[in-house]
Amino acid sequence: MPLLEIRNLKVEFATAKGPFKALDGVDYTVEAGEVLAIVGESGSGKSVAMLAVMGLLPDTATITADKMEFEGRDLRTLSAKERRKVIGKDISMIFQEPIASLNPCFTVGHQLEETLKAHTTLGRRERKARVIELMKAVGLPKPEERVSAFPHQMSGGQCQRVMIAMAIACAPKLLIADEPTTALDVTIQKQILDLLVKLQQDSGMGLIMITHDMGVVAETADRVIVQYKGNKMEEADVLSLFENPQHAYTRALLSALPENATGDRLPTVSDFVGAGGF
Amino acid sequence: MSDTILKVRDLYRTYDIKGGLFKKPGKFTAVKGVSFDVERGSTLAIVGESGCGKSTLARMLTMIDAQTSGSIEIDGLPIDIAKTGISKDMRQKVQIVFQNPYGSLNPRQKIGHVLEEPLLLNTSMPAAERRDLALEMLTKVGLQPEHYGRYPHMFSGGQRQRIAIARAIMMKPKLLVLDEPVSALDLSVQAQILNLLKDLQDEMGLTYIFISHDLSVVRYLADKVMVMYFGEVVEYGTRDEVFGDPKHEYTRTLFAATPNADVDSIKARLAKKVA
Amino acid sequence: MTKSTSTELATETVLERESRNATKAMLTEFWYYFSQNKGAVIGLVVFAVLVAVALLAPLVAPHDPDVQYRDALLQPPFWQDGGSFAFPLGTDAVGRDILSRLIFGSRFSLFIGVVVVTIALVGGIVIGLVAGYARGWVDTLIMRVMDIILAFPSLLLALVLVAILGPGLVNAMIAIAIVLQPHFVRLTRAAVLAEVNRDYVVAARVAGAGHLRLMFKTILPNCLAPLIVQATLSFSNAILDAAALGFLGMGAQPPTPEWGTMLAEAREFILRAWWVVTFPGLAILITVLAINLVGDGLRDALDPKLKRS
């Protein structure tokens, strides 16, 4: 049984200009211990699917799916309360803006403790110890001092580490990372990616990397889903995707990478497919 | 003798940090003694991570902020706005394109007016002529004349960046400072904008100062590369020198951290994972 | 340019059409978000009816508001014993038709709202723009003065001002405007502070825009949304304050059919003739409620944070 299985997921938003289809019948399967990358440009609906799983979409969204199961439990029929139990404990998520994702009014130690309090039965002292342990695990230097630091006293990379610590606090079975390194510098990005992959390998959890960056995909993923305008273009394991992309859009994306430039001009998507899209 | 358009010597920029209740006031030097030359029609890429002073440098070159000390000379014209102020002459030499295409256009201003504003403020061109020029510029950056009367929010990120570029070249500047112009854009759009920048450079003989943190883009576009680290230049040379044989420790770290999308490195990674 | 005149004309019309379409699209979107708020639509309808009534007062009102019918003193509304359709909402102590007085009174209320809000808005925008744009000691000075004004209970301050200026509708309006002004100043300043460092402002500066142009043409249009919302809410506030001043005898003077003044005149008949107090009170309540509802809807439509993509 796969960890997460979604069949024919459709998401529609009500807007001033009428309904907008963000996802048009996409399937996702994630096995335990696997790194799945969902890659696409803005408007491809790459984040929407996972937000739908987490129940984080606004009221204007209509979500339909033939199947949406986590470890065999149907997420569609779960009550809000049961859902909260699963989300945050078994599935957790980290976002693009680490500094904005933390509450500026509380110390990071306190925020980590809150997460533990909500989802575990640990006592006060055990929680404190676990917080230090978690901060060590995500590679924050001097965790004993950092516990009482406020988010604004830390850099973006450190905040992202705290977010990751919070996400893995309850040893989730699935971690969803939504553009976790887009707001960070390259050297920090490298560290965070290495950390995520290491944590994933050590714990054997499933990891979904949502990204627009082919480089990030190449560095982390086992399997890749390429999305464009709410549709799945291609799904392949990472090596065959880069070695032998099947879909025209994937080829376009890969050749638009400046490092793959041959000659004076960069090829663009419209060089591969008609201007009308797919 | 090469034709130097921008000459920067020993440039410093210091900020005063206000003292708080428990903090003493202090000074923070964002740019520490930077010197370089740029040749006409070439592209200098300035690479560095956030906080390295590259944006502060851009703000000084475009006369948004004054330098604390040191000299800037653009096309033979010394720039020191703290002493002399800004003349229309100086303004026509250099323009800037910002990183975030969503923030750099006034949401309440129609595109036509966005483009005409520099002309309106710096020249005595009649309205009809301004409009013709704006329309011409729209087509030049790959947009349609009918976009003239629309508002910024009706455009995608890539289109907005085209508009921002069009605004910057309305006055036919000699030097264009591009502050991370493609890092907020999707990959395929990024390629289009980079192509556009190349075309414009060939056509108008523009000189670019291209500020970026993305080494693959820099490698594609730059003639010369300058790497900054905590306000100082740690590496400065032609593209092939810098990429081929990086001298400074930091440059090497930067290169090593850049994700690799080629098949061999994926194979290596997967092999390591199995082992 | 070597274009033929016909193609030039063609592009001209195309451009104009596109420009109009863009404006129209903005309005359509605005209306979509506004109309999502049902209360706001109801408020808008009520307000529109009110404006129509005020404009057409001489045509709509059954009687002259100042004529005293000596044979019909304190006549109750038509559905009560002793009432008649000649005076649908009854008459007051000197025999004036209450409905007609309310209808003419709406003119004063709306007039007060418009004038007060205009004065407070214009003054508040200018002062707030200067404070937010200049920063430094100018900002500090302006904001401390505003803090002092805000430290007084608003009605008390208005009363003091009217006492100094002398009672009357015009002076009451000026006093209320001064009392409401600091809210606009603070709001404008906050909005300016948020906008002034945005890239588009810097871009306009690089393009060579001067201080005045930056303040009024570049920054101000982007600060208007919260100001419009505040303006509608102040509109109702102004009506309330004017009524309060009128009730205390410091606003419009009798026999002006202003709603607050009507209430004041009816004070002694509260127990004997409920309609003399109830209807002016209801008129104030409904008007203020309608305008506040509209203000709520405007907030929904104008605040980008509440917009869902």
Side-chain angles (χ1 to χ4, degrees):
Chain A
M1 181 176 60
L3 194 59
L4 180 72
E5 194 177 8
I6 302 171
R7 292 278 157 269
N8 196 20
L9 179 66
K10 287 182 184 168
V11 178
E12 241 182 40
F13 289 97
T15 69
K17 293 176 197 88
F20 168 74
K21 249 188 202 149
L23 267 185
D24 193 13
V26 185
D27 300 345
Y28 300 91
T29 314
V30 188
E31 303 289 341
E34 169 186 58
V35 184
L36 169 71
I38 303 177
V39 62
E41 308 192 305
S42 51
S44 62
K46 58 185 188 294
S47 302
V48 173
M50 291 309 131
L51 289 173
V53 171
M54 299 289 283
L56 293 175
L57 288 175
D59 299 339
T60 48
T62 338
I63 306 163
T64 56
D66 295 346
K67 191 175 185 186
M68 196 194 259
E69 281 181 1
F70 179 74
E71 289 190 304
R73 256 176 306 172
D74 195 340
L75 290 172
R76 290 172 304 167
T77 55
L78 238 47
S79 73
K81 201 175 163 195
E82 289 170 315
R83 200 184 185 114
R84 268 201 299 280
K85 234 183 259 168
V86 176
I87 287 159
K89 189 170 186 306
D90 289 340
I91 312 178
S92 58
M93 189 159 179
I94 52 177
F95 298 94
Q96 180 175 353
E97 290 290 339
I99 300 175
S101 310
L102 288 166
N103 187 337
C105 299
F106 297 103
T107 63
V108 295
H110 178 86
Q111 296 185 48
L112 271 166
E113 257 193 86
E114 286 293 301
T115 317
L116 291 172
K117 213 180 196 170
H119 295 290
T120 64
T121 53
L122 293 177
R124 219 171 75 86
R125 189 157 307 163
E126 290 165 300
R127 279 206 302 268
K128 287 243 189 296
R130 175 87 175 121
V131 165
I132 302 281
E133 200 178 299
L134 280 169
M135 290 176 83
K136 249 184 215 149
V138 295
L140 277 166
K142 296 189 203 152
E144 291 83 1
E145 288 170 33
R146 289 262 176 248
V147 177
S148 50
F150 286 93
H152 70 265
Q153 294 169 321
M154 314 212 310
S155 67
Q158 288 171 334
C159 283
Q160 194 61 290
R161 283 175 195 269
V162 173
M163 286 309 297
I164 293 172
M166 222 181 258
I168 59 164
C170 309
K173 294 177 181 128
L174 176 65
L175 178 62
I176 302 167
D178 189 355
E179 304 258 12
T181 57
T182 308
L184 303 175
D185 282 325
V186 213
T187 47
I188 313 295
Q189 160 168 305
K190 170 93 177 151
Q191 296 166 9
I192 297 289
L193 291 180
D194 288 350
L195 172 68
L196 279 173
V197 169
K198 181 177 165 289
L199 288 172
Q200 184 269 332
Q201 280 174 0
D202 292 352
S203 67
M205 65 183 170
L207 175 61
I208 300 180
M209 286 287 271
I210 300 169
T211 182
H212 69 278
D213 189 336
M214 280 306 204
V216 171
V217 175
E219 296 263 317
T220 56
D222 298 326
R223 207 153 49 78
V224 187
I225 289 177
V226 182
Q227 275 187 212
Y228 180 73
K229 288 193 177 160
N231 286 295
K232 189 194 282 184
M233 294 291 112
E234 183 167 357
E235 180 167 359
D237 66 88
V238 63
L239 194 58
S240 43
L241 186 93
F242 279 86
E243 224 168 19
N244 187 18
Q246 293 302 307
H247 198 284
Y249 178 70
T250 317
R251 281 200 292 278
L253 267 188
L254 287 173
S255 57
L257 286 171
E259 58 253 46
N260 292 347
T262 49
D264 204 29
R265 293 184 66 82
L266 287 169
T268 59
V269 172
S270 48
D271 294 338
F272 287 80
V273 289
F278 304 92
Chain B
M1 186 63 210
S2 61
D3 183 8
T4 306
I5 186 166
L6 174 69
K7 208 183 216 172
V8 174
R9 286 292 171 274
D10 212 23
L11 198 64
Y12 278 86
R13 168 77 202 184
T14 311
Y15 290 103
D16 290 324
I17 301 170
K18 257 201 206 153
L21 202 49
F22 304 106
K23 256 192 294 185
K24 268 195 229 150
K27 279 188 189 308
F28 170 71
T29 311
V31 174
K32 299 171 189 163
V34 170
S35 305
F36 57 91
D37 290 327
V38 183
E39 277 168 42
R40 193 181 298 277
S42 72
T43 301
L44 169 72
I46 302 178
V47 184
E49 305 195 321
S50 51
C52 74
K54 56 189 198 294
S55 290
T56 310
L57 184 60
R59 289 174 73 91
M60 287 191 282
L61 294 178
T62 47
M63 296 174 276
I64 298 167
D65 291 336
Q67 68 262 39
T68 311
S69 69
S71 70
I72 304 172
E73 202 181 291
I74 299 174
D75 207 15
L77 209 66
I79 307 279
D80 192 350
I81 58 169
K83 293 205 183 86
T84 60
I86 310 171
S87 66
K88 286 183 178 171
D89 246 10
M90 286 151 89
R91 231 175 232 127
Q92 297 200 357
K93 300 269 186 216
V94 56
Q95 284 293 324
I96 185 167
V97 176
F98 292 99
Q99 168 177 13
N100 183 355
Y102 294 89
S104 66
L105 299 175
N106 186 343
R108 305 259 169 225
Q109 204 176 21
K110 287 185 176 175
I111 299 313
H113 299 154
V114 172
L115 296 185
E116 286 172 17
E117 197 169 34
L119 296 175
L120 176 76
L121 293 168
N122 295 295
T123 64
S124 50
M125 206 180 272
E129 215 171 302
R130 282 204 305 265
R131 210 196 56 185
D132 287 342
L133 212 60
L135 291 176
E136 196 191 316
M137 205 52 91
L138 275 176
T139 31
K140 197 176 212 163
V141 297
L143 295 168
Q144 310 298 319
E146 56 258 35
H147 293 150
Y148 181 88
R150 295 195 188 160
Y151 286 100
H153 72 97
M154 300 169 166
F155 294 91
S156 67
Q159 285 175 319
R160 286 185 211 210
Q161 205 57 305
R162 285 174 193 270
I163 296 163
I165 291 170
R167 169 177 61 189
I169 57 175
M170 275 307 274
M171 300 225 296
K172 310 241 166 7
K174 300 278 187 304
L175 184 68
L176 198 55
V177 176
L178 304 153
D179 189 355
E180 308 246 13
V182 294
S183 49
L185 302 176
D186 279 330
L187 194 56
S188 60
V189 182
Q190 169 179 312
Q192 292 167 9
I193 297 291
L194 290 176
N195 284 338
L196 172 68
L197 286 172
K198 269 210 158 161
D199 292 346
L200 289 173
Q201 184 166 41
D202 293 344
E203 201 180 317
M204 301 176 64
L206 285 165
T207 309
Y208 289 152
I209 307 281
F210 191 93
I211 295 174
S212 179
H213 67 274
D214 187 339
L215 287 167
S216 57
V217 174
V218 168
R219 186 177 219 157
Y220 169 71
L221 206 72
D223 297 311
K224 273 189 159 182
V225 180
M226 185 165 107
V227 183
M228 285 181 78
Y229 187 55
F230 285 113
E232 281 174 84
V233 175
V234 296
E235 189 115 19
Y236 176 46
T238 64
R239 173 183 59 183
D240 296 339
E241 277 167 22
V242 173
F243 279 88
D245 179 24
K247 297 279 186 302
H248 196 273
E249 185 61 33
Y250 174 72
T251 318
R252 284 198 285 270
T253 318
L254 207 58
F255 287 169
T258 307
N260 238 323
D262 64 76
V263 175
D264 291 340
S265 62
I266 298 174
K267 272 183 185 153
R269 174 174 70 85
L270 292 175
K272 217 167 87 189
K273 195 172 173 180
V274 172
Chain C
M1 297 276 138
T2 51
K3 277 183 215 153
S4 69
T5 38
S6 65
T7 56
E8 202 147 78
L9 270 178
T11 49
E12 193 115 326
T13 46
V14 167
L15 283 183
E16 238 166 60
R17 200 186 58 220
E18 279 298 325
S19 185
R20 259 203 316 274
N21 281 350
T23 317
K24 221 166 81 189
M26 288 267 266
L27 290 175
T28 320
E29 198 196 29
F30 168 79
W31 178 248
Y32 172 82
Y33 286 108
F34 185 83
S35 59
Q36 294 291 89
N37 187 333
K38 292 287 169 283
V41 177
I42 294 169
L44 187 68
V45 170
V46 172
F47 186 68
V49 169
L50 211 74
V51 171
V53 165
L55 289 176
L56 304 173
L59 300 174
V60 185
H63 301 278
D64 187 300
D66 294 332
V67 171
Q68 304 178 354
Y69 297 92
R70 290 293 169 169
D71 47 351
L73 300 180
L74 285 180
Q75 201 179 71
F78 68 89
W79 62 85
Q80 276 203 337
D81 287 343
S84 78
F85 276 102
F87 306 107
L89 298 181
T91 59
D92 66 4
V94 287
R96 291 175 295 198
D97 176 42
I98 289 186
L99 179 64
S100 307
R101 285 180 72 73
L102 285 179
I103 288 173
F104 276 90
S106 65
R107 289 185 146 188
F108 288 95
S109 289
L110 294 179
F111 178 67
I112 290 166
V114 169
V115 172
V116 167
V117 166
T118 311
I119 299 174
L121 189 67
V122 171
I125 283 177
V126 172
I127 299 174
L129 263 177
V130 170
Y133 188 81
R135 306 303 311 271
W137 65 268
V138 181
D139 183 27
T140 314
L141 183 75
I142 291 176
M143 292 325 286
R144 288 306 84 76
V145 172
M146 293 305 139
D147 286 347
I148 292 170
I149 299 178
L150 281 173
F152 288 100
S154 64
L155 194 62
L156 191 70
L157 184 62
L159 260 177
V160 172
L161 286 170
V162 175
I164 297 169
L165 297 168
L169 192 58
V170 176
N171 289 345
M173 289 193 296
I174 294 172
I176 297 165
I178 292 175
V179 169
L180 288 177
Q181 174 137 304
H183 296 284
F184 288 98
V185 174
R186 301 189 87 167
L187 210 57
T188 313
R189 177 177 172 270
V192 170
L193 288 186
E195 295 294 321
V196 77
N197 283 324
R198 299 274 305 274
D199 279 347
Y200 73 87
V201 181
V202 179
R205 234 169 83 197
V206 173
H211 294 307
L212 282 179
R213 188 185 172 86
L214 279 179
M215 277 159 72
F216 288 96
K217 276 212 90 155
T218 311
I219 298 177
L220 180 59
N222 291 292
C223 302
L224 281 180
L227 288 172
I228 291 172
V229 176
Q230 177 69 26
T232 43
L233 299 179
S234 296
F235 197 102
S236 57
N237 245 334
I239 293 174
L240 273 181
D241 282 356
L245 284 178
F247 183 77
L248 295 170
M250 294 298 223
Q253 296 301 309
T256 317
E258 197 267 326
W259 294 341
T261 315
M262 283 169 74
L263 275 177
E265 288 171 27
R267 225 171 345 191
E268 45 197 293
F269 306 103
I270 289 179
L271 294 177
R272 271 204 291 149
W274 59 270
W275 57 92
V276 206
V277 263
T278 308
F279 292 122
L282 270 181
I284 296 172
L285 175 84
I286 290 170
T287 311
V288 168
L289 189 64
I291 296 172
N292 281 352
L293 284 173
V294 173
D296 248 17
L298 283 177
R299 194 195 325 255
D300 286 359
L302 291 173
D303 189 345
K305 262 179 255 150
L306 291 172
K307 273 187 196 169
R308 292 131 301 205
S309 56

